[in-house]
Amino acid sequence: MDRVAVFKFGAVAGAGVCVLFGGAVLAQYIFTMKKKAGRKTKIIEMMPEFQKKNVYIKDPERVEQIICGLIKGGASKLQIITDFDMTLSKFFHNGKRCPTCHNIIDNCKLISEDCRKKLLQIRNKYYPIEVDPALSAEDKYPFMVEWWTKAHNLLIEQGIERAKLAAVVRESDVMLRDGYELFFDKLNEHNIPVFIFSAGIGDILEEIISQAGVFHSNVKVVSNFMDFDEKGVLKGFKGELIHVYNKHDGAIRSSEYFDQLKENCNIILLGDSLGDLTMADGVQNVESILKIGFLNNKVEESLEKYMDSYDIVLVKEETLDLTNAILQKIL
């Protein structure tokens, strides 16, 4: 990749000004300063979170315009659409890989050793396909259906009890990204709708954020939810299968939810896969949308594609600092 094309942020004097102004006032201040000084004064240049070496932006002018649009719209027009696994949750912690919602179940005590081996075998077969930058989403689609279907069928055979899921989550190594409390609490404080769209297991996801104390009333989860019999034993999964590369279909099916948010025409989208880019497809009349991508793996092979697709790419980032900084300017 041509490194000259990669925008690098330098320190800019006067960053303290951002602290003094918020929302539309900040946007107007920037506009006025540009006219008076006859020079470019970028919001993103005054935010230290954008100056980190792992922040990549292909078109900084466009990102500046989008953020100004989000600031102008304020809280009343904003909604969040986000993936969960490896987006709100961590990919690595202290050099150790963190589990996804499926991993939590795969590795728990409720699963037999034989089932665990089978789950690992199919993961080793299909995960390389999921993250292969040489394959298109269309190429990967049927393999993801096979993977999710086989994994779910194996889990159904285990007779998992709903009552034991809370303990399974507590005993796992799952971690939310640093800054998650500020992220969820700030959005709840301002009644900003948060739509978590996950190809993981919804019951596990909701238990994670519940135990973290951030499953607020403004949060809606769309995911693969378990279906239990009258004795509380897993008998299947509800609704249509959601995997990494069919989120467009799920977004369209969620159009009724988005129809209730017609005034929330500004979006911050968070994802870690190119498949996450379609999560907002069910939203009508979008005014401004900022797409932030977490690139956790195969960085050299995938960075260029991510920069072509996401407005901001965060490489091997384990915090929500940049997102929280942007929210601080909007709310």
Side-chain angles (χ1 to χ4, degrees), residues 38-318:
R39 60 183 175 82
K40 293 181 179 179
T41 309
K42 297 180 181 298
I43 295 173
I44 58 177
E45 287 178 344
M46 296 192 292
M47 296 172 66
E49 292 82 6
F50 278 88
Q51 298 172 25
K52 294 173 67 175
K53 292 182 179 180
N54 67 335
V55 178
Y56 292 83
I57 298 177
K58 183 176 182 178
D59 189 346
E61 291 289 343
R62 182 172 182 275
V63 170
E64 176 81 6
Q65 291 173 4
I66 294 171
I67 292 178
C68 282
L70 296 175
I71 291 172
K72 183 179 179 181
S76 64
K77 287 191 172 185
L78 184 64
Q79 65 171 300
I80 307 297
I81 301 176
T82 179
D83 174 51
F84 184 77
D85 286 322
M86 313 295 108
T87 297
L88 294 182
S89 67
K90 287 189 176 186
F91 185 80
F92 271 112
H93 181 69
N94 292 334
K96 182 181 178 182
R97 179 72 185 269
C98 295
T100 64
C101 292
H102 276 100
N103 295 153
I104 290 172
I105 289 290
D106 295 352
N107 298 319
C108 76
K109 298 175 182 177
L110 306 181
I111 303 299
S112 69
E113 191 60 35
D114 181 60
C115 179
R116 198 183 331 277
K117 289 179 180 178
K118 290 178 180 177
L119 288 166
L120 181 59
Q121 287 173 355
I122 61 175
R123 183 189 184 280
N124 290 341
K125 176 181 177 179
Y126 291 108
Y127 180 69
I129 297 173
E130 178 191 338
V131 298
D132 188 342
L135 296 175
S136 69
E138 292 74 19
D139 293 333
K140 296 176 181 181
Y141 191 108
F143 295 104
M144 298 303 101
V145 173
E146 288 179 15
W147 182 6
W148 262 250
T149 302
K150 290 178 180 179
H152 287 180
N153 287 340
L154 285 169
L155 294 179
I156 293 167
E157 293 173 0
Q158 295 300 295
I160 295 170
E161 297 177 39
R162 176 168 46 195
K164 295 181 179 180
L165 294 182
V168 166
V169 171
R170 276 194 298 271
E171 294 167 3
S172 75
D173 294 325
V174 67
M175 297 184 69
L176 295 176
R177 290 185 184 272
D178 297 342
Y180 75 88
E181 289 177 308
L182 176 61
F183 174 80
F184 279 102
D185 291 347
K186 190 77 172 178
L187 293 169
N188 181 53
E189 177 187 345
H190 292 272
N191 199 30
I192 308 300
V194 178
F195 185 76
I196 301 179
F197 198 176
S198 173
I201 298 177
D203 309 78
I204 298 298
L205 191 166
E206 289 189 347
E207 189 62 38
I208 293 169
I209 59 177
S210 292
Q211 291 186 16
V214 292
F215 194 3
H216 302 306
S217 60
N218 64 320
V219 175
K220 178 178 177 61
V221 177
V222 171
S223 187
N224 299 299
F225 281 91
M226 293 174 162
D227 191 15
F228 297 93
D229 64 20
E230 64 279 359
K231 295 182 180 179
V233 176
L234 179 65
K235 66 176 184 178
F237 283 81
K238 301 175 182 178
E240 299 289 332
L241 175 69
I242 300 174
H243 60 76
V244 178
Y245 291 104
N246 72 341
K247 289 190 173 182
H248 163 81
D249 301 335
I252 300 304
R253 288 196 298 271
S254 301
S255 58
E256 183 177 344
Y257 166 83
F258 292 125
D259 285 345
Q260 298 172 11
L261 303 173
K262 290 181 179 178
E263 301 302 315
N264 301 79
C265 49
N266 289 342
I267 302 167
I268 295 179
L269 182 148
L270 306 173
D272 75 308
S273 161
L274 296 180
D276 292 329
L277 292 161
T278 63
M279 293 189 297
D281 286 1
V283 183
Q284 302 296 321
N285 304 317
V286 175
E287 289 187 6
S288 298
I289 178 168
L290 182 68
K291 299 178 180 181
I292 302 174
F294 292 87
L295 179 51
N296 301 306
N297 197 15
K298 294 187 177 294
V299 174
E300 290 187 7
E301 304 96 319
S302 304
L303 182 57
E304 186 170 4
K305 281 188 177 181
Y306 271 64
M307 290 182 65
D308 286 341
S309 305
Y310 283 100
D311 300 304
I312 302 169
V313 180
L314 305 176
V315 174
K316 295 186 176 182
E317 174 67 33
E318 297 303 335

